[in-house]
Amino acid sequence: ASGFFSGLGKGLLGAVVKPTAGLMDLTSQAAEGVRNTSKSGEAVRRIRPPRVNLGDGILRHYDARSAHGCDAMRRMRGGAWKEHRYIGFCALDGPDAVLVTDKHVCVHDFNSHDERWELAVTAITEVGVDPTDVTVSITATGVKGSPKVLKCTDGR
């Protein structure tokens, strides 16, 4: 009988002590992981730009071209265009690319994000599209050199 009570006592004590010890081990391991991450000093870098969110609640497949275009929009003017809604992006000859948002059409250097020219969407009076040549011409009011002709070189 004394062996039964001794075993029962050890079992009940183990039922309380082992989970408590496991919880303490979990906490110390998590704290050690955080400490090791902060000590390395190595910044985490993105491998690719984030997926484009068009604001309609639909999660679309990752499209690297759109992601790069939307990332360029977020970087324009030091982030001033972050609140714009991304519509499209197209590579032009050389390092230039055209970016279309809900407020602007902009041609910029894709690497440095320096603007070549910018046009408010409200100033556009006509858009002509030649799908055989992937060319878009934009006519705008009050803009020198109008119409602007943009020829996409990435086939879209």
Side-chain angles (χ1 to χ4, degrees), residues 105-144:
V105 175
C106 171
V107 172
H108 69 285
D109 182 308
F110 186 71
N111 300 316
S112 67
H113 304 293
D114 292 334
E115 291 179 39
R116 304 284 190 236
W117 57 264
E118 169 196 336
L119 187 61
V121 171
T122 55
I124 297 173
T125 56
E126 181 183 343
V127 176
V129 178
D130 179 1
T132 59
D133 200 22
V134 197
T135 303
V136 177
S137 61
I138 300 172
T139 306
T141 56
V143 176
K144 282 186 175 182

mmCIF file of all heavy atoms in Angstrom, residues 105-144:
data_model
loop_
_atom_site.group_PDB
_atom_site.id
_atom_site.type_symbol
_atom_site.label_atom_id
_atom_site.label_comp_id
_atom_site.label_asym_id
_atom_site.label_seq_id
_atom_site.Cartn_x
_atom_site.Cartn_y
_atom_site.Cartn_z
ATOM 1 N N VAL A 105 0.991 59.708 -64.275
ATOM 2 C CA VAL A 105 1.754 58.888 -65.203
ATOM 3 C C VAL A 105 3.156 59.470 -65.141
ATOM 4 O O VAL A 105 3.335 60.682 -65.257
ATOM 5 C CB VAL A 105 1.201 58.971 -66.644
ATOM 6 C CG1 VAL A 105 2.098 58.211 -67.606
ATOM 7 C CG2 VAL A 105 -0.225 58.456 -66.702
ATOM 8 N N CYS A 106 4.134 58.623 -64.949
ATOM 9 C CA CYS A 106 5.488 59.110 -64.713
ATOM 10 C C CYS A 106 6.488 58.231 -65.445
ATOM 11 O O CYS A 106 6.393 57.009 -65.413
ATOM 12 C CB CYS A 106 5.758 59.068 -63.209
ATOM 13 S SG CYS A 106 7.447 59.388 -62.753
ATOM 14 N N VAL A 107 7.442 58.843 -66.112
ATOM 15 C CA VAL A 107 8.575 58.120 -66.668
ATOM 16 C C VAL A 107 9.752 58.416 -65.764
ATOM 17 O O VAL A 107 10.029 59.580 -65.446
ATOM 18 C CB VAL A 107 8.858 58.538 -68.127
ATOM 19 C CG1 VAL A 107 10.158 57.918 -68.613
ATOM 20 C CG2 VAL A 107 7.705 58.114 -69.027
ATOM 21 N N HIS A 108 10.415 57.362 -65.321
ATOM 22 C CA HIS A 108 11.521 57.524 -64.379
ATOM 23 C C HIS A 108 12.621 56.523 -64.683
ATOM 24 O O HIS A 108 12.408 55.536 -65.380
ATOM 25 C CB HIS A 108 11.027 57.347 -62.940
ATOM 26 C CG HIS A 108 10.612 55.948 -62.617
ATOM 27 N ND1 HIS A 108 9.437 55.392 -63.061
ATOM 28 C CD2 HIS A 108 11.236 54.990 -61.918
ATOM 29 C CE1 HIS A 108 9.346 54.151 -62.640
ATOM 30 N NE2 HIS A 108 10.427 53.868 -61.934
ATOM 31 N N ASP A 109 13.805 56.797 -64.149
ATOM 32 C CA ASP A 109 14.923 55.867 -64.223
ATOM 33 C C ASP A 109 14.633 54.764 -63.211
ATOM 34 O O ASP A 109 14.476 55.022 -62.022
ATOM 35 C CB ASP A 109 16.231 56.589 -63.873
ATOM 36 C CG ASP A 109 17.440 55.689 -63.977
ATOM 37 O OD1 ASP A 109 17.427 54.598 -63.369
ATOM 38 O OD2 ASP A 109 18.399 56.074 -64.667
ATOM 39 N N PHE A 110 14.540 53.540 -63.694
ATOM 40 C CA PHE A 110 14.125 52.437 -62.821
ATOM 41 C C PHE A 110 15.128 52.165 -61.707
ATOM 42 O O PHE A 110 14.755 51.742 -60.621
ATOM 43 C CB PHE A 110 13.900 51.172 -63.643
ATOM 44 C CG PHE A 110 13.338 50.053 -62.831
ATOM 45 C CD1 PHE A 110 12.031 50.094 -62.382
ATOM 46 C CD2 PHE A 110 14.119 48.963 -62.484
ATOM 47 C CE1 PHE A 110 11.508 49.071 -61.612
ATOM 48 C CE2 PHE A 110 13.593 47.935 -61.722
ATOM 49 C CZ PHE A 110 12.291 47.992 -61.284
ATOM 50 N N ASN A 111 16.392 52.432 -61.943
ATOM 51 C CA ASN A 111 17.417 52.136 -60.932
ATOM 52 C C ASN A 111 17.489 53.205 -59.846
ATOM 53 O O ASN A 111 17.549 52.897 -58.665
ATOM 54 C CB ASN A 111 18.782 51.975 -61.599
ATOM 55 C CG ASN A 111 18.772 50.837 -62.599
ATOM 56 O OD1 ASN A 111 18.240 49.775 -62.329
ATOM 57 N ND2 ASN A 111 19.330 51.070 -63.768
ATOM 58 N N SER A 112 17.482 54.479 -60.244
ATOM 59 C CA SER A 112 17.639 55.559 -59.266
ATOM 60 C C SER A 112 16.303 56.175 -58.845
ATOM 61 O O SER A 112 16.244 56.931 -57.887
ATOM 62 C CB SER A 112 18.522 56.668 -59.849
ATOM 63 O OG SER A 112 17.858 57.303 -60.931
ATOM 64 N N HIS A 113 15.237 55.881 -59.584
ATOM 65 C CA HIS A 113 13.899 56.443 -59.354
ATOM 66 C C HIS A 113 13.849 57.952 -59.567
ATOM 67 O O HIS A 113 12.983 58.634 -59.039
ATOM 68 C CB HIS A 113 13.358 56.067 -57.974
ATOM 69 C CG HIS A 113 13.340 54.588 -57.748
ATOM 70 N ND1 HIS A 113 12.514 53.750 -58.441
ATOM 71 C CD2 HIS A 113 14.074 53.790 -56.933
ATOM 72 C CE1 HIS A 113 12.727 52.505 -58.062
ATOM 73 N NE2 HIS A 113 13.673 52.507 -57.151
ATOM 74 N N ASP A 114 14.798 58.478 -60.348
ATOM 75 C CA ASP A 114 14.761 59.891 -60.727
ATOM 76 C C ASP A 114 13.731 60.059 -61.834
ATOM 77 O O ASP A 114 13.724 59.313 -62.814
ATOM 78 C CB ASP A 114 16.131 60.361 -61.245
ATOM 79 C CG ASP A 114 17.174 60.392 -60.145
ATOM 80 O OD1 ASP A 114 16.796 60.544 -58.971
ATOM 81 O OD2 ASP A 114 18.366 60.261 -60.470
ATOM 82 N N GLU A 115 12.880 61.065 -61.673
ATOM 83 C CA GLU A 115 11.829 61.295 -62.664
ATOM 84 C C GLU A 115 12.382 61.940 -63.917
ATOM 85 O O GLU A 115 13.172 62.870 -63.845
ATOM 86 C CB GLU A 115 10.761 62.226 -62.079
ATOM 87 C CG GLU A 115 9.948 61.605 -60.989
ATOM 88 C CD GLU A 115 8.940 62.588 -60.434
ATOM 89 O OE1 GLU A 115 8.360 63.367 -61.224
ATOM 90 O OE2 GLU A 115 8.744 62.580 -59.211
ATOM 91 N N ARG A 116 11.951 61.459 -65.068
ATOM 92 C CA ARG A 116 12.244 62.110 -66.348
ATOM 93 C C ARG A 116 11.150 63.138 -66.621
ATOM 94 O O ARG A 116 11.419 64.251 -66.980
ATOM 95 C CB ARG A 116 12.288 61.105 -67.498
ATOM 96 C CG ARG A 116 13.256 59.971 -67.300
ATOM 97 C CD ARG A 116 14.689 60.438 -67.530
ATOM 98 N NE ARG A 116 15.555 59.278 -67.556
ATOM 99 C CZ ARG A 116 16.595 59.107 -66.774
ATOM 100 N NH1 ARG A 116 16.929 60.027 -65.909
ATOM 101 N NH2 ARG A 116 17.335 58.023 -66.860
ATOM 102 N N TRP A 117 9.891 62.705 -66.466
ATOM 103 C CA TRP A 117 8.753 63.606 -66.536
ATOM 104 C C TRP A 117 7.565 62.956 -65.843
ATOM 105 O O TRP A 117 7.513 61.760 -65.642
ATOM 106 C CB TRP A 117 8.401 64.041 -67.961
ATOM 107 C CG TRP A 117 8.103 62.932 -68.936
ATOM 108 C CD1 TRP A 117 8.969 62.379 -69.812
ATOM 109 C CD2 TRP A 117 6.838 62.291 -69.149
ATOM 110 N NE1 TRP A 117 8.344 61.412 -70.545
ATOM 111 C CE2 TRP A 117 7.027 61.338 -70.167
ATOM 112 C CE3 TRP A 117 5.582 62.419 -68.587
ATOM 113 C CZ2 TRP A 117 6.008 60.524 -70.622
ATOM 114 C CZ3 TRP A 117 4.560 61.603 -69.036
ATOM 115 C CH2 TRP A 117 4.770 60.676 -70.050
ATOM 116 N N GLU A 118 6.638 63.804 -65.466
ATOM 117 C CA GLU A 118 5.450 63.358 -64.742
ATOM 118 C C GLU A 118 4.248 64.095 -65.287
ATOM 119 O O GLU A 118 4.349 65.244 -65.703
ATOM 120 C CB GLU A 118 5.628 63.668 -63.257
ATOM 121 C CG GLU A 118 4.400 63.497 -62.439
ATOM 122 C CD GLU A 118 4.520 64.166 -61.085
ATOM 123 O OE1 GLU A 118 5.636 64.364 -60.596
ATOM 124 O OE2 GLU A 118 3.466 64.513 -60.545
ATOM 125 N N LEU A 119 3.114 63.441 -65.289
ATOM 126 C CA LEU A 119 1.897 64.019 -65.831
ATOM 127 C C LEU A 119 0.737 63.633 -64.921
ATOM 128 O O LEU A 119 0.565 62.459 -64.584
ATOM 129 C CB LEU A 119 1.680 63.450 -67.235
ATOM 130 C CG LEU A 119 0.578 63.982 -68.092
ATOM 131 C CD1 LEU A 119 0.775 65.463 -68.364
ATOM 132 C CD2 LEU A 119 0.561 63.225 -69.408
ATOM 133 N N ALA A 120 -0.045 64.614 -64.493
ATOM 134 C CA ALA A 120 -1.226 64.317 -63.681
ATOM 135 C C ALA A 120 -2.274 63.643 -64.555
ATOM 136 O O ALA A 120 -2.474 64.018 -65.712
ATOM 137 C CB ALA A 120 -1.795 65.596 -63.080
ATOM 138 N N VAL A 121 -2.932 62.644 -64.018
ATOM 139 C CA VAL A 121 -3.961 61.921 -64.767
ATOM 140 C C VAL A 121 -5.076 62.876 -65.206
ATOM 141 O O VAL A 121 -5.633 62.723 -66.293
ATOM 142 C CB VAL A 121 -4.513 60.754 -63.918
ATOM 143 C CG1 VAL A 121 -5.733 60.117 -64.556
ATOM 144 C CG2 VAL A 121 -3.432 59.707 -63.706
ATOM 145 N N THR A 122 -5.353 63.882 -64.415
ATOM 146 C CA THR A 122 -6.421 64.832 -64.755
ATOM 147 C C THR A 122 -6.096 65.660 -65.991
ATOM 148 O O THR A 122 -6.991 66.203 -66.633
ATOM 149 C CB THR A 122 -6.702 65.772 -63.570
ATOM 150 O OG1 THR A 122 -5.473 66.397 -63.182
ATOM 151 C CG2 THR A 122 -7.276 65.006 -62.398
ATOM 152 N N ALA A 123 -4.807 65.764 -66.353
ATOM 153 C CA ALA A 123 -4.410 66.549 -67.525
ATOM 154 C C ALA A 123 -4.513 65.752 -68.821
ATOM 155 O O ALA A 123 -4.433 66.316 -69.906
ATOM 156 C CB ALA A 123 -2.984 67.064 -67.353
ATOM 157 N N ILE A 124 -4.684 64.439 -68.725
ATOM 158 C CA ILE A 124 -4.730 63.593 -69.918
ATOM 159 C C ILE A 124 -6.071 63.761 -70.618
ATOM 160 O O ILE A 124 -7.124 63.626 -70.003
ATOM 161 C CB ILE A 124 -4.489 62.115 -69.550
ATOM 162 C CG1 ILE A 124 -3.093 61.963 -68.959
ATOM 163 C CG2 ILE A 124 -4.675 61.209 -70.761
ATOM 164 C CD1 ILE A 124 -2.794 60.593 -68.408
ATOM 165 N N THR A 125 -5.991 64.070 -71.909
ATOM 166 C CA THR A 125 -7.220 64.251 -72.690
ATOM 167 C C THR A 125 -7.487 63.087 -73.628
ATOM 168 O O THR A 125 -8.622 62.859 -74.020
ATOM 169 C CB THR A 125 -7.141 65.551 -73.522
ATOM 170 O OG1 THR A 125 -5.977 65.503 -74.346
ATOM 171 C CG2 THR A 125 -7.094 66.764 -72.610
ATOM 172 N N GLU A 126 -6.428 62.347 -73.981
ATOM 173 C CA GLU A 126 -6.606 61.234 -74.916
ATOM 174 C C GLU A 126 -5.484 60.217 -74.735
ATOM 175 O O GLU A 126 -4.349 60.575 -74.486
ATOM 176 C CB GLU A 126 -6.570 61.766 -76.354
ATOM 177 C CG GLU A 126 -6.776 60.722 -77.410
ATOM 178 C CD GLU A 126 -6.650 61.309 -78.819
ATOM 179 O OE1 GLU A 126 -6.728 62.543 -78.986
ATOM 180 O OE2 GLU A 126 -6.449 60.510 -79.739
ATOM 181 N N VAL A 127 -5.849 58.945 -74.844
ATOM 182 C CA VAL A 127 -4.869 57.872 -74.799
ATOM 183 C C VAL A 127 -5.104 56.987 -76.007
ATOM 184 O O VAL A 127 -6.204 56.496 -76.227
ATOM 185 C CB VAL A 127 -4.992 57.022 -73.507
ATOM 186 C CG1 VAL A 127 -4.027 55.850 -73.529
ATOM 187 C CG2 VAL A 127 -4.762 57.874 -72.279
ATOM 188 N N GLY A 128 -4.072 56.833 -76.822
ATOM 189 C CA GLY A 128 -4.161 55.952 -77.979
ATOM 190 C C GLY A 128 -3.256 54.756 -77.777
ATOM 191 O O GLY A 128 -2.133 54.892 -77.323
ATOM 192 N N VAL A 129 -3.769 53.560 -78.103
ATOM 193 C CA VAL A 129 -2.998 52.340 -77.887
ATOM 194 C C VAL A 129 -2.853 51.605 -79.214
ATOM 195 O O VAL A 129 -3.828 51.393 -79.928
ATOM 196 C CB VAL A 129 -3.704 51.421 -76.861
ATOM 197 C CG1 VAL A 129 -2.919 50.134 -76.667
ATOM 198 C CG2 VAL A 129 -3.902 52.135 -75.545
ATOM 199 N N ASP A 130 -1.619 51.236 -79.532
ATOM 200 C CA ASP A 130 -1.339 50.424 -80.712
ATOM 201 C C ASP A 130 -0.852 49.064 -80.213
ATOM 202 O O ASP A 130 0.329 48.901 -79.898
ATOM 203 C CB ASP A 130 -0.268 51.096 -81.580
ATOM 204 C CG ASP A 130 0.080 50.273 -82.816
ATOM 205 O OD1 ASP A 130 -0.524 49.196 -82.998
ATOM 206 O OD2 ASP A 130 0.962 50.692 -83.565
ATOM 207 N N PRO A 131 -1.740 48.073 -80.106
ATOM 208 C CA PRO A 131 -1.350 46.787 -79.521
ATOM 209 C C PRO A 131 -0.351 46.006 -80.363
ATOM 210 O O PRO A 131 0.387 45.182 -79.829
ATOM 211 C CB PRO A 131 -2.668 46.026 -79.403
ATOM 212 C CG PRO A 131 -3.615 46.694 -80.324
ATOM 213 C CD PRO A 131 -3.146 48.105 -80.486
ATOM 214 N N THR A 132 -0.275 46.271 -81.667
ATOM 215 C CA THR A 132 0.689 45.543 -82.499
ATOM 216 C C THR A 132 2.109 45.980 -82.204
ATOM 217 O O THR A 132 3.042 45.204 -82.347
ATOM 218 C CB THR A 132 0.399 45.767 -83.997
ATOM 219 O OG1 THR A 132 0.479 47.167 -84.279
ATOM 220 C CG2 THR A 132 -0.973 45.234 -84.361
ATOM 221 N N ASP A 133 2.276 47.216 -81.761
ATOM 222 C CA ASP A 133 3.605 47.769 -81.499
ATOM 223 C C ASP A 133 3.844 47.998 -80.010
ATOM 224 O O ASP A 133 4.893 48.452 -79.608
ATOM 225 C CB ASP A 133 3.751 49.102 -82.274
ATOM 226 C CG ASP A 133 5.206 49.488 -82.460
ATOM 227 O OD1 ASP A 133 6.075 48.601 -82.395
ATOM 228 O OD2 ASP A 133 5.459 50.687 -82.661
ATOM 229 N N VAL A 134 2.865 47.705 -79.175
ATOM 230 C CA VAL A 134 2.892 47.965 -77.734
ATOM 231 C C VAL A 134 3.300 49.415 -77.488
ATOM 232 O O VAL A 134 4.223 49.713 -76.743
ATOM 233 C CB VAL A 134 3.831 46.983 -76.993
ATOM 234 C CG1 VAL A 134 3.523 47.006 -75.511
ATOM 235 C CG2 VAL A 134 3.693 45.564 -77.508
ATOM 236 N N THR A 135 2.591 50.326 -78.145
ATOM 237 C CA THR A 135 2.868 51.752 -78.026
ATOM 238 C C THR A 135 1.638 52.452 -77.481
ATOM 239 O O THR A 135 0.513 52.163 -77.882
ATOM 240 C CB THR A 135 3.220 52.354 -79.405
ATOM 241 O OG1 THR A 135 4.330 51.640 -79.930
ATOM 242 C CG2 THR A 135 3.578 53.811 -79.289
ATOM 243 N N VAL A 136 1.863 53.396 -76.578
ATOM 244 C CA VAL A 136 0.785 54.206 -76.022
ATOM 245 C C VAL A 136 1.150 55.657 -76.261
ATOM 246 O O VAL A 136 2.265 56.085 -75.982
ATOM 247 C CB VAL A 136 0.613 53.954 -74.506
ATOM 248 C CG1 VAL A 136 -0.444 54.854 -73.920
ATOM 249 C CG2 VAL A 136 0.288 52.495 -74.241
ATOM 250 N N SER A 137 0.207 56.427 -76.801
ATOM 251 C CA SER A 137 0.445 57.861 -76.941
ATOM 252 C C SER A 137 -0.532 58.580 -76.029
ATOM 253 O O SER A 137 -1.707 58.258 -75.978
ATOM 254 C CB SER A 137 0.274 58.313 -78.396
ATOM 255 O OG SER A 137 -1.031 58.064 -78.826
ATOM 256 N N ILE A 138 -0.003 59.547 -75.302
ATOM 257 C CA ILE A 138 -0.806 60.291 -74.332
ATOM 258 C C ILE A 138 -0.826 61.751 -74.750
ATOM 259 O O ILE A 138 0.220 62.361 -74.937
ATOM 260 C CB ILE A 138 -0.214 60.165 -72.911
ATOM 261 C CG1 ILE A 138 -0.179 58.699 -72.476
ATOM 262 C CG2 ILE A 138 -0.985 61.006 -71.921
ATOM 263 C CD1 ILE A 138 0.558 58.461 -71.187
ATOM 264 N N THR A 139 -2.024 62.289 -74.912
ATOM 265 C CA THR A 139 -2.180 63.706 -75.211
ATOM 266 C C THR A 139 -2.709 64.378 -73.947
ATOM 267 O O THR A 139 -3.665 63.914 -73.337
ATOM 268 C CB THR A 139 -3.177 63.910 -76.370
ATOM 269 O OG1 THR A 139 -2.744 63.108 -77.475
ATOM 270 C CG2 THR A 139 -3.237 65.354 -76.784
ATOM 271 N N ALA A 140 -2.072 65.489 -73.587
ATOM 272 C CA ALA A 140 -2.462 66.179 -72.368
ATOM 273 C C ALA A 140 -2.537 67.671 -72.620
ATOM 274 O O ALA A 140 -1.837 68.206 -73.471
ATOM 275 C CB ALA A 140 -1.462 65.884 -71.260
ATOM 276 N N THR A 141 -3.373 68.326 -71.842
ATOM 277 C CA THR A 141 -3.507 69.768 -71.959
ATOM 278 C C THR A 141 -2.381 70.460 -71.212
ATOM 279 O O THR A 141 -1.991 70.043 -70.119
ATOM 280 C CB THR A 141 -4.858 70.240 -71.370
ATOM 281 O OG1 THR A 141 -4.948 69.786 -70.022
ATOM 282 C CG2 THR A 141 -6.017 69.683 -72.159
ATOM 283 N N GLY A 142 -1.844 71.516 -71.814
ATOM 284 C CA GLY A 142 -0.835 72.343 -71.157
ATOM 285 C C GLY A 142 0.506 71.664 -70.984
ATOM 286 O O GLY A 142 1.263 72.023 -70.096
ATOM 287 N N VAL A 143 0.831 70.674 -71.809
ATOM 288 C CA VAL A 143 2.101 69.967 -71.667
ATOM 289 C C VAL A 143 2.903 70.128 -72.946
ATOM 290 O O VAL A 143 2.410 69.828 -74.030
ATOM 291 C CB VAL A 143 1.857 68.460 -71.381
ATOM 292 C CG1 VAL A 143 3.168 67.707 -71.324
ATOM 293 C CG2 VAL A 143 1.084 68.292 -70.086
ATOM 294 N N LYS A 144 4.152 70.611 -72.822
ATOM 295 C CA LYS A 144 5.013 70.734 -73.995
ATOM 296 C C LYS A 144 5.358 69.340 -74.497
ATOM 297 O O LYS A 144 5.556 68.417 -73.718
ATOM 298 C CB LYS A 144 6.305 71.465 -73.638
ATOM 299 C CG LYS A 144 6.156 72.940 -73.526
ATOM 300 C CD LYS A 144 7.527 73.561 -73.328
ATOM 301 C CE LYS A 144 7.409 75.068 -73.324
ATOM 302 N NZ LYS A 144 8.710 75.702 -73.176
#
